[in-house]
């Protein structure tokens, strides 16, 4: 057990195959070494065995909060969903904000770990330190929004007051490889196919009912010092300052115009580095400004909801009325995010602001990751151009009418074309000889940062432990925003080390579990003070950073045991020297991946992407058989030598 502050010291183990539910404490050493949320969740997934089938009953699906979740700590409303990904075959953790993580803590839990497979659809009801499985047959086939409304009525609760929901839509039920989990506020654990794993277990939803009972800090004075310091930093930041900073005013989509001006916005499946470059080359009517945060705020913004303990309020709720197939449609939805708008808009060859809102609402209701969903359709558009989908289907650039329809067709696997796209970019590429058309790394597609412009994002995509991802190590903080200091986005030297540092720092915040956006204002000093104050520990900055490094290496070790090595730390060919060079402000640029990988591996102490056994020993990772690789690059000596 652990006596550390911030923990409830209670994890539920739910075997869906036989309905058995057991409760256990958290090992004190694990809590110290892996912090919580992402770190502890990945450790539990590792314990289950790296070789499990992602869609088999032995795969663990862990909903985890951390020692700072649901506390007074600013931006502490996050929750991590950890599992083995059916999209990539790697370990994955996918987070969302809102109130789910806080309410799970208030209901008496640090985590819910599901394994097995229910015979019939069920949902988990969580209240007062207990979990109950209930029939969900009447909800199977329903969208997330209908599920949300029906459960609120059934349970006589109220979202935003005493109830939170995490559910899948038809995409998760039907095994779409990039299906996600959506909460009551349209916040998504979007990446890696967590919703697909949930659907494979016949688990429709997790519903939490609780009052507000925030944990008290073990060391109030230290916590108060850290909390005040963090609040001051957030209020003074040009990015996070409430009602003033760019993130608070425009949400993540504040980056749309910035990425466009830098020629760092992948457009038309990454054929261009901005909509201006596409417009100038092809003469088409496309302009990223139309889908920017500034445009959204001026024209379709209706509300600015927030998450637990967050003054920034980056979520932008919009309402639009648009014509679709001759019918007037009105939708109100959250999450008009930069990455979502990029994938469903410019990267798919259009900038129809209101049609993107319709797509976002449909993705949220169907439970589809907006990034992989949009990029999968962009890949299909390019394949249509090249005749690779003859006899299966077709999708033309910027065909917003068909895109809107395709989202539900994919979610329900309604036809051969939709069934193919539901498998994700790697499997589509394998079946249709279309690897040149894919923007995926390890099976997961890139976000809205072009690696020909932002070189740190290139090495970040390649070395992310969960497939291409901007959130493993958010180097645009330095390359665009100058946090903690400005670096040249086009310079590749130094980016390997910079990326590793961001990756370790984000492993810490993901394990607390607090929002990464706090890192636009806070640093390791504030992290240490708040963590020590809440838990009662007395770790140094170096010790906390080592914990982040340990977590990142544990994930890489898990992937190594699944056969991943340096050859998988790649990028789509079009971003490399012999690919498609950047245009405009990025004229002639490509991503110098090989050079950055050498620097990155040297900093990490890895051997061609593999964690050597000496590194595991150094970090105190005492799990599994080891990789059998030594720091010298050969096979490690056996324990009998």
């Amino acid at each position: 057990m652990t006596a550390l502050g911030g923990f409830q010291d209670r994890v539920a183990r739910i075997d869906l195959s036989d309905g058995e539910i057991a409760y256990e404490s958290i090992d004190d050493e694990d809590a110290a070494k892996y912090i919580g949320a992402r770190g502890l969740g990945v450790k539990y997934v590792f314990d289950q065995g790296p070789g499990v089938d992602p869609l088999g009953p032995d795969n663990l699906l862990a909903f985890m909060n951390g020692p700072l979740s649901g506390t007074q700590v600013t931006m502490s409303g996050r929750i991590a969903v950890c599992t083995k990904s059916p999209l990539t075959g790697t370990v994955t953790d996918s987070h969302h904000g809102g109130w789910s993580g806080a309410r799970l803590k208030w209901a008496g839990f640090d985590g819910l770990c599901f394994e097995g497979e229910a015979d019939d659809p069920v949902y988990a009801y969580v209240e007062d330190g207990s979990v109950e499985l209930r029939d969900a047959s009447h909800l199977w086939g329903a969208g997330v929004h209908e599920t949300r409304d029906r459960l609120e009525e059934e349970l006589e609760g109220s979202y935003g007051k005493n109830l939170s929901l995490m559910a899948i839509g038809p995409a998760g039920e039907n095994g779409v490889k990039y299906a996600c989990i959506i909460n009551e506020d349209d916040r998504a654990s979007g990446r890696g196919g967590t919703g697909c794993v949930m659907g494979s277990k016949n688990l429709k939803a997790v519903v939490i009912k609780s009052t507000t009972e925030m944990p008290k800090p073990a060391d109030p004075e230290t916590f108060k010092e850290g909390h005040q310091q963090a609040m001051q930093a957030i209020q003074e930041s040009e990015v996070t300052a409430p009602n003033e900073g760019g993130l608070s005013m425009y949400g993540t989509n504040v980056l749309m115009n910035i990425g466009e001006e830098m020629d760092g916005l992948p457009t038309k499946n990454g054929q261009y580095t901005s909509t201006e470059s596409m417009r100038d080359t092809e003469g088409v009517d496309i302009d990223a400004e139309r889908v920017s945060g500034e445009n959204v705020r001026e024209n379709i913004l209706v509300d600015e909801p927030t998450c637990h303990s967050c003054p920034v309020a980056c979520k932008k709720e919009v309402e639009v009325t648009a014509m679709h197939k001759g019918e007037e449609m009105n939708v109100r939805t959250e999450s008009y995010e930069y990455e979502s708008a990029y994938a469903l808009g410019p990267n798919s060859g259009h900038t129809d602001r209101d049609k993107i809102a319709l797509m976002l609402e449909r993705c949220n209701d169907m439970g589809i990751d907006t990034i992989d969903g949009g990029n999968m359709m962009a890949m299909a558009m390019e394949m249509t151009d090249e005749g690779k989908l003859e006899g299966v289907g077709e999708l033309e650039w910027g065909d917003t009418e068909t895109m809107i329809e395709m989202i539900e067709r994919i979610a329900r696997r309604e036809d051969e074309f939709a069934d193919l796209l539901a498998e994700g970019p790697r499997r589509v590429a394998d079946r249709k000889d279309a690897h040149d058309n894919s923007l995926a790394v390890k099976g997961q597609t890139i976000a809205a940062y072009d690696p020909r412009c932002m070189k740190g994002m290139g090495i970040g995509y390649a070395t992310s432990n969960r497939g291409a991802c901007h959130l493993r190590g958010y180097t645009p903080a330095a390359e665009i925003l100058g946090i903690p200091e400005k670096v040249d986005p086009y310079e590749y030297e130094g980016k390997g080390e910079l990326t590793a540092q961001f990756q370790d720092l984000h492993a810490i915040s993901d394990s607390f579990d607090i929002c990464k956006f706090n890192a636009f204002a806070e640093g390791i000093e504030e992290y240490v003070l708040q963590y020590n104050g809440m838990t009662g520990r007395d770790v140094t900055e170096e010790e906390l950073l080592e914990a982040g490094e340990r977590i990142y290496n544990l994930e890489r070790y898990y992937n190594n045991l699944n056969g991943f090595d340096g050859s998988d730390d790649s990028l789509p060919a079009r971003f490399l020297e012999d690919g498609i060079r950047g245009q405009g402000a990025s004229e002639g640029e490509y991503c110098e991946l090989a050079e950055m990988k050498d620097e990155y591996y040297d900093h990490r102490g890895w051997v061609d992407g593999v964690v050597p056994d000496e590194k595991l020993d150094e970090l105190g990772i005492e799990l599994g058989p080891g990789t059998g690789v030594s720091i010298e690059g050969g096979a490690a000596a056996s324990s009998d030598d």
Side-chain angles (χ1 to χ4, degrees), residues 265-494:
L265 175 65
T267 300
K268 198 179 182 185
N269 203 36
Q271 293 181 30
Y272 298 98
T273 49
S274 67
T275 60
E276 181 180 10
S277 294
M278 180 181 175
R279 183 171 64 248
D280 290 348
T281 302
E282 300 190 12
V284 295
D285 183 19
I286 188 169
D287 186 351
E289 191 284 328
R290 297 172 191 158
V291 297
S292 67
E294 292 86 344
N295 192 301
V296 166
R297 184 173 189 87
E298 182 178 350
N299 293 290
I300 59 174
L301 181 72
V302 291
D303 198 8
E304 300 179 84
T306 192
C307 305
H308 164 71
S309 193
C310 181
V312 178
C314 74
K315 294 301 172 188
K316 304 304 165 189
E317 188 169 330
V318 302
E319 185 171 13
V320 303
T321 299
M323 297 299 295
H324 172 59
K325 297 291 185 181
E327 177 185 353
E328 186 175 271
M329 296 182 67
N330 176 268
V331 299
R332 182 169 176 149
T333 187
E334 270 198 41
S335 304
Y336 207 113
E337 306 284 351
Y338 175 48
E339 288 78 17
S340 303
Y342 131 83
L344 294 165
N347 204 44
S348 296
H350 76 96
T351 49
D352 188 323
R353 182 196 64 211
D354 293 357
K355 293 292 180 63
I356 290 173
L358 297 186
M359 294 178 210
L360 290 172
E361 192 275 340
R362 191 156 291 190
C363 282
N364 290 340
D365 194 35
M366 292 293 105
I368 283 181
D369 174 26
T370 54
I371 299 177
D372 273 312
N375 287 342
M376 188 69 258
M377 288 190 280
M379 180 179 173
M381 291 170 187
E382 188 171 288
M383 291 171 66
T384 297
D385 272 357
E386 297 179 9
K388 294 180 179 178
L389 292 172
E390 285 187 21
V392 178
E394 63 179 22
L395 190 55
E396 302 294 336
W397 293 110
D399 182 357
T400 57
E401 300 293 296
T402 303
M403 288 179 72
I404 293 167
E405 288 186 344
M406 281 301 303
I407 293 166
E408 185 160 0
R409 285 168 58 190
I410 290 169
R412 299 189 184 278
R413 292 183 180 260
E414 288 184 352
D415 51 64
E416 183 183 2
F417 187 29
D419 189 59
L420 175 67
L421 300 189
E423 289 299 303
R426 182 169 59 189
R427 292 172 178 84
V428 171
D430 287 342
R431 295 176 189 179
K432 296 296 180 181
D433 191 23
H435 289 280
D436 287 345
N437 308 110
S438 171
L439 296 190
V441 178
K442 302 181 183 75
Q444 182 165 278
T445 59
I446 69 164
Y449 308 85
D450 198 301
R452 291 164 292 196
C453 169
M454 287 164 265
K455 305 300 174 72
M457 204 74 267
I459 184 64
Y461 288 147
T463 60
S464 163
N465 286 333
R466 67 172 191 170
C469 176
H470 60 298
L471 293 173
R472 295 294 87 174
Y474 192 71
T475 56
E479 293 177 309
I480 298 177
L481 303 172
I483 298 170
E485 60 185 25
K486 188 73 169 69
V487 299
D488 183 354
Y490 297 105
E491 176 58 60
Y492 70 86
E493 291 184 358

Side-chain angles (χ1 to χ4, degrees), residues 46-47 50 557 561 616 621-627:
F46 192 107
D47 287 342
Y557 174 33
L561 294 178
L616 296 175
I621 299 174
E622 300 163 344
L623 304 168
T627 60

Side-chain angles (χ1 to χ4, degrees), residues 45-236:
V45 171
F46 192 107
D47 287 342
Q48 197 76 359
V52 299
D53 177 354
L55 299 180
D58 292 335
N59 192 19
L60 192 74
L61 181 67
F63 294 78
M64 304 292 298
N65 56 39
L68 302 190
S69 299
T71 69
Q72 288 179 292
V73 172
T74 307
M75 306 188 201
S76 61
R78 308 288 289 179
I79 191 167
V81 183
C82 305
T83 191
K84 186 176 185 180
S85 167
L87 182 68
T88 65
T90 67
V91 69
T92 195
D93 61 286
S94 191
H95 303 241
H96 67 259
W99 302 86
S100 315
R103 209 166 293 286
L104 181 63
K105 176 71 67 67
W106 303 340
F109 286 100
D110 303 299
L112 309 172
C113 296
F114 295 90
E115 60 181 285
E117 178 183 338
D119 291 334
D120 300 298
V122 297
Y123 72 89
Y125 178 71
V126 183
E127 185 178 15
D128 292 334
S130 67
V131 179
E132 179 185 346
L133 295 177
R134 297 184 176 182
D135 178 59
S137 299
H138 60 302
L139 301 170
W140 205 252
V144 171
H145 298 151
E146 180 184 347
T147 300
R148 173 193 65 196
D149 295 344
R150 292 179 69 175
L151 284 174
E152 183 178 36
E153 182 179 353
E154 284 181 26
L155 298 172
E156 299 180 347
S158 178
Y159 299 121
K161 293 183 178 179
N162 68 346
L163 207 64
S164 284
L165 166 101
M166 296 174 281
I168 59 171
E173 297 172 4
N174 292 303
V176 175
K177 297 301 188 294
Y178 42 93
C180 61
I181 299 169
I182 303 284
N183 81 350
E184 70 273 13
D185 296 314
D186 282 347
R187 316 290 168 78
S189 282
R191 313 237 58 195
T194 54
C196 183
V197 175
M198 195 164 165
S200 75
K201 296 184 178 301
N202 275 331
L203 179 63
K204 178 65 176 178
V206 175
V207 190
I208 308 161
K209 195 172 190 179
S210 72
T211 55
T212 303
E213 297 182 23
M214 286 191 280
K216 300 292 191 292
D219 180 350
E221 289 303 312
T222 299
F223 180 80
K224 182 179 179 181
E225 179 186 356
H227 184 54
Q228 289 178 340
Q229 197 167 306
M231 280 297 298
Q232 182 176 351
I234 288 166
Q235 290 168 348
E236 293 176 354

